[in-house]
Amino acid sequence: MVKWTEEERCIIRGVWEKVDIDEVGAQLWARALIVYPWIERYFGSFGDTFTTTAILNNPKLAALGKIVLAALDTAVKNMDNVKGAYASLSRVHYEKIKVDPEHFRLLAECITISIACKLKAELSPQVQSTWQKFLSAVVDSMRSQYK
Amino acid sequence: MSLSDKDKAAVKALWAKAEGKSSEIGAEALGRMLVAYPQTKTYFSHWGDLRPQSAKVKKHGATIMAALGQAVKGIDDLTGTLSALSELHAFKLRVDPANFKILGHNIILVLAMFFPADFTPDVHVSVEKFLQNVAWALSEKYR
């Protein structure tokens, strides 16, 4: 279990407060698919995900982005036991969707970059470091049921 | 980290010894990877039996090593030699390139197991550099 100081909790919540889930969520998967096109392997049923234009305008991707950030909200609210909170999510991603957990890491990076676009200098090195520590814990929790 | 003449010589020398057992080495490496790095199983769910001694694992391990053999022969132009395989991995298989490093580690481990006297640190570094360059060439077409 990750241990958070009061300062870290403040920082993480502070960052998360500034994230508009609808706004950031809508573009999250577009960023991930454009930067890491091989992730397209999971999106066979999402319609057109093959060109930048199609990706940027795909409503299913936008909807999924919001779902992912809503789940991240759960992690922020349960930061002392993200592993517990995410156990069934992890299992589903392993057993049903069969996601390479490397992609949790890649998506986490995209989330941080999206936040950097929004927060700019407010995402100081210290804040970035703490936020990334949080996302690492989230990624680890998503990996936890991969056995 | 490009390959020096010394690296290429070391890789070729080890391959000359390993070639005869390459199917076995490949099967062993792939089998171990699927056990020690369970996340890699996500790419093979359609195989059913993923135990190290299963027929599909053994066959695929041999396939991988045969391709590595080709890479050794074409060591002076890995990008060209592996171009078709890169396209396959990028567009059809869509294996995340991070997994090349994982498989590479398991290949190195098995080579060390099979050829402990030959797998000196000097040879190890050349083989690792070679596998890194192979991974790079395989990733070429990804984006």
Side-chain angles (χ1 to χ4, degrees):
Chain A
M1 214 78 75
V2 188
K3 290 221 169 331
W4 307 105
T5 65
E6 251 332 291
E7 195 193 351
E8 285 172 330
R9 288 172 202 280
C10 254
I11 289 174
I12 293 162
R13 286 184 197 127
V15 168
W16 189 242
E17 252 164 33
K18 302 190 176 76
V19 174
D20 179 336
I21 286 185
D22 285 336
E23 184 194 355
V24 176
Q27 288 299 294
L28 178 62
W29 281 107
R31 181 179 294 277
L33 275 166
I34 290 167
V35 178
Y36 307 108
W38 52 95
I39 292 182
E40 189 274 325
R41 71 196 322 272
Y42 306 116
F43 295 102
S45 64
F46 273 52
D48 192 347
T49 53
F50 302 106
T51 62
T52 303
T53 314
I55 288 169
L56 286 166
N57 292 294
N58 187 308
K60 284 183 169 180
L61 289 178
L64 186 64
K66 297 175 197 179
I67 291 173
V68 167
L69 292 190
L72 197 54
D73 185 63
T74 303
V76 174
K77 294 187 163 81
N78 291 276
M79 60 175 102
D80 289 313
N81 186 17
V82 186
K83 193 169 168 194
Y86 272 23
S88 59
L89 253 185
S90 175
R91 212 168 297 119
V92 161
H93 281 74
Y94 181 32
E95 289 167 9
K96 285 222 150 58
I97 319 173
K98 303 194 204 287
V99 176
D100 183 336
E102 171 66 9
H103 301 155
F104 301 146
R105 197 185 65 79
L106 295 181
L107 191 63
E109 293 207 351
C110 288
I111 291 172
T112 303
I113 303 293
S114 300
I115 288 178
C117 290
K118 195 98 224 270
L119 267 60
K120 300 190 259 271
E122 261 188 270
L123 193 77
S124 67
Q126 183 54 58
V127 170
Q128 175 194 348
S129 171
T130 303
W131 175 252
Q132 286 180 182
K133 183 180 165 186
F134 170 66
L135 282 189
S136 276
V138 170
V139 167
D140 280 347
S141 301
M142 282 302 287
R143 295 183 77 118
S144 74
Q145 300 303 310
Y146 279 69
K147 302 183 222 264
Chain B
M1 298 173 219
S2 45
L3 299 173
S4 65
D5 289 337
K6 184 163 164 267
D7 291 323
K8 293 180 188 179
V11 167
K12 286 180 174 161
L14 186 67
W15 184 255
K17 281 201 156 160
E19 191 163 20
K21 288 186 148 113
S22 73
S23 299
E24 219 185 312
I25 292 168
E28 186 77 38
L30 186 63
R32 280 164 182 278
M33 183 187 81
L34 292 166
V35 171
Y37 300 87
Q39 68 269 26
T40 57
K41 291 194 282 188
T42 57
Y43 291 100
F44 300 103
S45 54
H46 53 293
W47 278 4
D49 185 356
L50 288 173
R51 286 169 303 166
Q53 292 311 310
S54 84
K56 285 191 167 153
V57 171
K58 282 167 124 169
K59 181 164 178 253
H60 198 62
T63 302
I64 291 171
M65 289 307 278
L68 267 182
Q70 289 304 305
V72 174
K73 286 193 175 70
I75 203 168
D76 291 319
D77 176 21
L78 284 172
T79 307
T81 306
L82 294 170
S83 170
L85 269 178
S86 179
E87 278 196 26
L88 177 71
H89 284 75
F91 300 119
K92 193 146 180 269
L93 304 174
R94 288 168 297 188
V95 174
D96 193 297
N99 294 292
F100 300 150
K101 196 169 179 182
I102 294 176
L103 181 58
H105 166 73
N106 285 280
I107 290 171
I108 283 174
L109 193 140
V110 174
L111 283 170
M113 272 170 55
F114 276 50
F115 303 102
D118 300 278
F119 210 73
T120 60
D122 266 350
V123 170
H124 180 164
V125 67
S126 295
V127 171
E128 184 164 320
K129 281 174 72 178
F130 167 66
L131 288 176
Q132 224 180 58
N133 278 266
V134 165
W136 185 258
L138 269 182
S139 316
E140 189 60 37
K141 296 273 158 72
Y142 272 66
R143 58 180 179 181

